[in-house]
Amino acid sequence: MKIDGKISIVTGAASGLGAATARRLAADGSKVAIFDMNETAGAALAEEIGGRFFNVDVTSETAAQSALAAMAAEMGTPRVLVNCAGIAPPAKVINRDGEPMPLAKFARVIEINLIGTFNLITQFAAHAHKADMLGEERGVIINTASIAAYDGQIGQAAYAASKGGVASLALPIARELARHAIRVTTIAPGIFKTPMLEGLPEEAQRSLAEQNPFPRRLGDPSEFAALVATIIGNPMLNGEVIRLDAALRMAPT
């Protein structure tokens, strides 16, 4: 699909991988709807790229439904959805005192990362499946998993489970939406220079970067965005989970 002139939605676009993706899609000619809860950063980015900001809690069915309806009425039918919203709070199954992780902590990660992703997929598909064909397809959905889905470290039980769920969505939903000519793919990034990592000491960042076989550095969010653009442009990419990780296989800790 050629993105120029098309409407895109990026969740979690106020920062990090989502912000880089929104900038790339806008640079490629797309009108971008930013779905995020950070109104200050999200609105500023929307103004920068000529897009539109919508304050959306991805875990809320009514919020997603209302935002899609408002966006479609104002901007037109969305053709691309990139799900980047997510959280990654570390927590062990039992702490140093042997106390169990509060179930609410585990549930919150699943709710945002997995259920939030599925929520936006459903609302997007409800709009995109009725759209006119653009060549041989109607739309593209790109989700964000993580290499933690495969190489989850100690303290990442909730995060790894949520991202493993996101990775597992790709094929069954791609098969279901194939009759509507909507593709579904997932990117599983490794260690990228996002606000979460940039808050770490320089020495800690260097240590993380050196775990990558090659290139031995943190990934740049623009490289994630470049893969998004490639997926959109290549109709044969469908039902796949693509690792973007510099050949990293994470150690237990």
Side-chain angles (χ1 to χ4, degrees), residues 67-119:
L68 261 293
M71 190 228 69
E74 180 180 332
M75 303 175 69
T77 301
R79 299 296 190 153
V80 173
L81 168 66
V82 186
N83 278 310
C84 291
I87 59 173
K92 293 184 177 180
V93 174
I94 54 173
N95 65 20
R96 291 179 181 178
D97 298 322
E99 297 169 337
M101 179 198 308
L103 189 59
K105 281 190 174 182
F106 185 91
R108 184 60 176 161
V109 177
I110 299 296
E111 185 179 29
I112 293 174
N113 295 358
L114 178 55
I115 297 176
T117 293
F118 182 77
N119 184 27

Side-chain angles (χ1 to χ4, degrees), residues 134-156:
L134 296 172
E136 62 182 339
E137 57 188 329
R138 284 193 174 91
V140 183
I141 297 169
I142 302 170
N143 300 316
T144 304
S146 166
I147 61 169
Y150 309 99
D151 313 330
Q153 296 183 299
I154 293 171
Q156 287 190 319

Side-chain angles (χ1 to χ4, degrees), residues 14-17 19-20 23 191-206 208-209 218-222:
S15 64
L17 302 180
R23 287 190 174 98
I191 304 173
F192 275 70
K193 186 177 289 187
T194 60
M196 181 177 65
L197 284 183
E198 288 178 331
L200 296 176
E202 188 66 32
E203 183 177 344
Q205 292 188 43
R206 189 180 308 110
L208 286 170
L218 298 176
D220 190 278
S222 65

Side-chain angles (χ1 to χ4, degrees), residues 20-84:
T21 298
R23 287 190 174 98
R24 173 59 186 261
L25 296 181
D28 288 347
S30 177
K31 290 292 184 182
V32 182
I34 293 169
F35 283 18
D36 205 293
M37 294 183 68
N38 186 334
E39 188 155 1
T40 300
L45 179 58
E47 183 176 0
E48 173 194 327
I49 65 175
R52 177 79 163 80
F53 172 76
F54 295 85
N55 193 322
V56 182
D57 176 356
V58 298
T59 68
S60 168
E61 184 175 13
T62 55
Q65 189 173 32
S66 297
L68 261 293
M71 190 228 69
E74 180 180 332
M75 303 175 69
T77 301
R79 299 296 190 153
V80 173
L81 168 66
V82 186
N83 278 310
C84 291

